[in-house]
């Protein structure tokens, strides 16, 4: 006998349960058996306990160890030595030299060219692109860019999948984007409030609910300005392990402008670039990258998309997420990335409850 | 198999397998152990309610709170025994027994009108009023030959649910 649970067809995509298979509409008189048989719901709960797609998004899969025998092991030791004793110091020196050039130049330009705004901003852009290239070189980043480079035009926003803060640096070395970021503490926060501020970056605080409206307003103003740096957004809202994408926030898709998708895929053979902010600080993450052989990745600048007639911003977001996921070869999951930091609202179970309630009440009338 | 060990020995696996009446294969038990360790983030040897609630798929399940009362504080052996009812090797009787336990939370072997009302409330939320809930439950109970004061035991559940078979299965991913 078919169960009482069926999926709602008209549903807000934000809460759409992709995983719930639509069971056939239950018919016939309501019997005690129908009420007591909770087996499908229990199966779903047990399924979630045994394996769930959300946890899989944030798992770093360690590579298979290959250094386990007599000739591979010394080779591996030699590799470790080279990476830590030769490469790492060279990279640190490079990074240091880069900052030595950048900091005074940036300060000079920022303070001396106060009057000449246009020139100042152009120079600041070049300098930021320069220091990002230094960063990328400091972990021997081998980046292959595909597709036309972003142009500076108003009414466009760039969106990309997110794996680590280095995504921003990799994209920034090519184009000085203004990015929208979570405000951090420590030295990263310092960088944010000084240098990134000059690029026109927008800050937000995940924990503040009211914040969203302010941020949307700022974003709208930014994309409308002709002189502003192109805006880059990571709509997932959190770092994911580059094998999955979580749901995109709809904010960048309701700004009434063109959305240019960017797909980023890291090659795991060299290093796993996923930054699990719950497990390590950004400093540790950087140190790990700097003691690896290289960070190899592909960046695809994809065709700009606009809202189709009759499409909601959420559907638009999903369509763009599809484009990025297909290009980068990563899987989509229907979960909200913020649940990594806070518990999901139990209101999400209301969709199921509503379906069940309607079914019961309907069948009660049947004879 | 202490709280702090993160490696399962062959002996441990066999012990767990016996405890769940051989309803899981040894490979499945190893997979379940990996999953247990993944969920037990603070390595306490058991998965706390909070740790279960980090799984959004579980949180959105209408019966999550009820199941949490059965799951809270379970060590690995009991965790596997809990999930055993969902194995493809479990009999219909074993599955019905599990469903009975979900209703009979206080474990006294009897399911009351209120127990069934509670579950119905979890399933339908605020989309059915308290009044309607009682009405619906009454109606189907009476039609099945029971009354408001009936205390259902496991055999009753077997009779009611056994007729049409119970499909309640979960696949344990094995690498």
């Amino acid at each position: 006998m078919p169960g009482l649970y069926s999926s709602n067809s008209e549903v807000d995509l934000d809460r759409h349960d992709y995983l719930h298979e639509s069971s056939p509409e239950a018919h016939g008189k309501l019997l005690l058996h129908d009420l007591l048989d909770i087996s499908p719901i229990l199966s779903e709960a047990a399924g979630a306990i045994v394996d769930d797609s959300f946890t899989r998004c944030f798992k770093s899969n360690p590579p298979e160890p290959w250094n386990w025998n007599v000739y591979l092991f010394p080779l591996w030791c030699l590799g470790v030595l080279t990476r830590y004793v030769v490469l790492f110091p060279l990279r640190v020196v490079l990074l240091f030299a880069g900052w030595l050039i950048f900091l005074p130049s940036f300060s000079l330009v920022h303070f001396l060219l106060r009057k000449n705004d246009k020139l100042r901003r152009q120079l600041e852009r070049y300098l930021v692109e320069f220091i990002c290239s230094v960063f990328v070189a400091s972990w021997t980043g081998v980046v292959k860019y595909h597709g036309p480079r972003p142009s500076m035009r108003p009414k466009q926003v760039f969106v990309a999948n997110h794996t680590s803060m280095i995504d921003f640096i990799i994209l920034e070395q090519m184009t000085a984007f203004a990015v929208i970021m979570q405000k951090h503490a420590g030295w990263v926060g310092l960088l944010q409030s000084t240098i990134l501020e000059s690029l026109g970056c927008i800050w937000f605080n995940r924990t503040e609910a009211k914040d969203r409206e302010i941020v949307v307003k700022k974003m709208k103003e930014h994309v409308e300005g002709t002189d502003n740096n192109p805006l880059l957004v990571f709509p997932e809202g959190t770092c994911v392990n580059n094998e999955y994408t979580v749901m995109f926030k709809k904010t960048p898709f309701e700004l009434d402008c063109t959305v240019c998708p960017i797909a980023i895929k890291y090659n795991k053979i060299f290093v796993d670039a996923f930054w699990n902010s719950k497990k390590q600080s950004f400093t540790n993450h950087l140190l790990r990258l700097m003691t690896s052989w290289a960070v190899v990745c592909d960046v695809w600048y994809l065709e700009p998309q606009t809202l189709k007639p009759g499409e909601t911003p959420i559907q638009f977001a999903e369509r763009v997420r599809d484009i990025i996921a297909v290009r980068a070869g990563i899987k989509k999951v229907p979960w909200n990335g913020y649940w990594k930091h806070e518990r999901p609202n139990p209101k999400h179970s209301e969709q199921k409850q509503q379906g069940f309630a309607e079914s019961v009440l309907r069948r009660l009338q049947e004879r | 198999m202490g709280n702090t060990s993160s490696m399962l020995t062959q002996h441990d696996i066999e012990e767990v397998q016996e405890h769940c009446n051989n309803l899981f294969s040894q490979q499945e038990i190893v997979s379940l152990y990996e999953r247990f360790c993944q969920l037990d983030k603070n390595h306490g040897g058991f998965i706390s309610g909070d740790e279960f609630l980090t799984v959004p798929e579980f949180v959105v399940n209408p019966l999550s709170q009820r199941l949490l009362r059965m799951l809270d504080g379970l060590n690995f052996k009991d965790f596997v025994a809990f999930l055993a009812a969902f194995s493809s090797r479990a009999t219909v009787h074993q599955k019905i027994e599990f469903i009975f336990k979900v209703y009979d939370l206080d474990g006294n072997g009897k399911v009351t009108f209120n127990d069934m009302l509670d579950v119905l409330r979890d399933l339908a939320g605020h989309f059915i009023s308290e009044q309607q809930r009682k009405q619906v439950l009454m109606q189907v109970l009476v039609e099945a030959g029971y009354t408001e004061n009936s205390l259902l035991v496991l055999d009753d559940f077997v009779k009611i649910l056994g007729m049409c078979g119970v499909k309640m299965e979960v696949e344990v991913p094995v690498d």
Side-chain angles (χ1 to χ4, degrees):
Chain A
M1 191 177 282
L4 283 166
Y5 274 73
S6 58
S7 63
N8 277 354
S9 46
E10 181 48 82
V11 117
D12 180 355
L13 265 177
D14 255 340
R15 303 186 305 176
H16 184 88
D17 189 358
Y18 287 52
L19 304 169
H20 179 73
E21 279 142 31
S22 50
S23 37
E25 280 289 315
H27 294 295
K29 196 146 115 58
L30 192 69
L31 294 176
L32 183 58
H33 166 278
D34 301 314
L35 279 192
L36 290 184
D37 186 4
I38 49 175
S39 55
I41 308 93
L42 290 179
S43 299
E44 281 178 17
I49 294 174
V50 162
D51 186 22
D52 76 288
S53 55
F54 186 73
T55 313
R56 268 187 263 138
C57 289
F58 304 102
K59 212 165 94 159
S60 323
N61 297 316
E64 290 288 317
W66 56 270
N67 56 359
W68 41 264
N69 76 7
V70 124
Y71 15 71
L72 294 180
F73 188 69
L75 212 68
W76 176 76
C77 287
L78 191 63
V80 170
L81 217 69
T82 316
R83 281 188 284 132
Y84 279 81
V85 174
V86 176
L87 286 182
F88 181 66
L90 278 176
R91 288 169 173 173
V92 170
V93 166
L94 176 69
L95 199 57
F96 197 59
W99 279 97
L100 233 80
I101 302 175
F102 173 77
L103 282 171
S105 319
F106 192 86
S107 318
L108 270 170
V109 166
H110 193 71
F111 292 111
L112 290 185
L113 290 180
R114 275 269 149 96
K115 297 282 172 74
N116 196 340
D117 221 37
K118 192 148 184 209
L119 181 62
R120 173 175 69 91
R121 296 173 91 204
Q122 208 167 13
L123 286 179
E124 281 176 352
R125 265 179 222 131
Y126 285 146
L127 283 173
V128 171
E129 285 173 18
F130 163 74
I131 192 66
C132 285
S133 310
V134 167
F135 252 120
V136 172
S138 76
W139 6 277
T140 317
V142 178
V143 187
K144 196 149 183 239
Y145 297 94
H146 311 259
R149 303 293 171 265
S151 19
M152 265 188 63
R153 281 193 296 223
K155 300 284 246 167
Q156 67 177 0
V157 69
F158 289 82
V159 299
N161 58 314
H162 201 28
T163 305
S164 158
M165 285 237 278
I166 66 174
D167 292 336
F168 164 64
I169 301 176
I170 285 176
L171 293 177
E172 196 78 4
Q173 73 164 349
M174 186 55 69
T175 323
F177 287 110
V179 80
I180 167 166
M181 284 170 109
Q182 165 85 27
K183 199 76 193 284
H184 283 111
W187 62 272
V188 179
L190 185 62
L191 284 183
Q192 286 179 322
S193 29
T194 49
I195 299 159
L196 296 182
E197 190 85 37
S198 72
L199 289 173
C201 289
I202 302 174
W203 313 118
F204 71 87
N205 204 331
R206 234 176 238 138
T207 51
E208 266 167 59
K210 275 281 165 89
D211 210 45
R212 190 179 176 272
E213 292 159 18
I214 308 172
V215 166
V216 173
K217 194 156 149 284
K218 284 194 208 164
M219 283 172 81
K220 269 213 133 142
E221 282 167 9
H222 188 104
V223 290
E224 269 153 35
T226 44
D227 235 3
N228 289 327
N229 292 323
L231 186 63
L232 173 64
V233 182
F234 294 105
E236 288 171 301
T238 192
C239 294
V240 186
N241 70 1
N242 208 222
E243 300 204 4
Y244 294 91
T245 53
V246 295
M247 290 200 79
F248 277 9
K249 305 260 168 293
K250 61 179 177 174
T251 323
F253 301 91
E254 36 181 28
L255 298 175
D256 193 27
C257 60
T258 324
V259 172
C260 309
I262 304 179
I264 309 177
K265 178 75 175 155
Y266 291 89
N267 189 331
K268 278 229 170 74
I269 296 183
F270 295 94
V271 78
D272 183 357
F274 169 47
W275 177 39
N276 193 338
S277 55
K278 298 207 127 187
K279 292 220 170 121
Q280 45 175 209
S281 67
F282 190 57
T283 317
N284 283 330
H285 174 64
L286 271 189
L287 285 177
R288 189 164 65 89
L289 294 180
M290 285 174 78
T291 52
S292 316
W293 288 110
V295 173
V296 178
C297 69
D298 282 286
V299 172
W300 291 274
Y301 295 107
L302 301 168
E303 196 183 319
Q305 304 290 324
T306 43
L307 190 71
K308 291 202 175 125
E311 202 178 31
T312 66
I314 296 175
Q315 290 170 326
F316 185 27
E318 275 304 287
R319 184 165 61 87
V320 172
R321 181 160 84 115
D322 227 353
I323 295 173
I324 293 180
V326 165
R327 180 68 268 187
I330 56 188
K331 295 176 225 153
K332 290 167 49 178
V333 294
W335 305 109
N336 177 345
Y338 277 7
W339 291 344
K340 189 174 156 207
H341 303 275
E342 61 192 42
R343 190 175 298 177
N345 193 333
K347 274 175 82 76
H348 286 76
S349 53
E350 284 193 359
Q351 182 206 325
K352 288 228 169 95
Q353 290 175 327
Q354 188 175 14
F356 177 81
E358 283 170 7
S359 192
V360 164
L361 293 176
R362 185 175 34 87
R363 288 176 72 179
L364 209 55
Q365 310 302 327
E366 288 182 29
R367 283 285 133 217
Chain B
M1 184 172 36
N3 280 355
T4 50
S5 83
S6 55
M7 288 293 293
L8 273 189
T9 66
Q10 180 62 27
H11 173 79
D12 292 332
I13 299 178
E14 283 167 11
E15 208 185 307
V16 171
Q17 204 177 23
E18 210 186 295
H19 189 68
C20 72
N21 297 319
N22 285 353
L23 287 174
F24 283 120
S25 70
Q26 297 201 353
Q27 268 185 317
E28 287 171 328
I29 292 178
V30 171
S31 282
L32 284 174
Y33 189 68
E34 273 171 25
R35 175 62 172 177
F36 184 86
C37 292
Q38 191 183 61
L39 291 175
D40 178 20
K41 295 188 179 84
N42 64 357
H43 307 295
F46 64 93
I47 309 176
S48 68
D50 271 338
E51 287 167 334
F52 274 112
L53 293 175
T54 59
V55 179
E57 265 175 68
F58 182 77
V59 175
V60 304
N61 191 292
L63 292 176
S64 56
Q65 289 303 318
R66 209 164 176 90
L67 289 172
L68 271 182
R69 284 163 68 181
M70 294 166 79
L71 284 166
D72 204 14
L74 289 187
N75 64 16
F76 179 61
K77 217 160 64 163
D78 294 328
F79 175 73
V80 173
F82 175 90
L83 290 174
F86 296 90
S87 157
S88 50
R89 300 178 190 85
T91 64
V92 169
H93 189 274
Q94 283 167 323
K95 293 182 198 279
I96 296 178
E97 203 179 328
F98 183 89
I99 296 179
F100 184 81
K101 281 196 221 154
V102 174
Y103 277 91
D104 178 31
L105 272 189
D106 55 15
N108 65 357
K110 303 193 198 48
V111 168
T112 64
F113 186 76
N114 279 326
D115 288 332
M116 290 186 277
L117 257 192
D118 282 342
V119 173
L120 194 52
R121 188 184 307 120
D122 284 340
L123 294 178
H126 58 79
F127 295 97
I128 300 187
S129 69
E130 176 83 18
Q131 185 79 318
Q132 278 175 313
R133 266 200 293 270
K134 289 192 176 155
Q135 204 184 349
V136 168
L137 191 54
M138 246 330 208
Q139 186 175 321
V140 292
L141 266 179
V142 165
E143 276 190 30
Y146 298 96
T147 71
E148 188 180 341
N149 299 313
S150 296
L151 297 173
L152 275 70
V153 293
L154 181 56
D155 282 338
D156 291 307
F157 266 64
V158 172
K159 199 171 60 173
I160 300 165
L161 296 174
M163 285 187 301
C164 307
V166 169
K167 200 161 184 310
M168 197 168 81
E169 238 170 71
V170 144
E171 198 187 307
V172 177
V174 169
D175 282 321

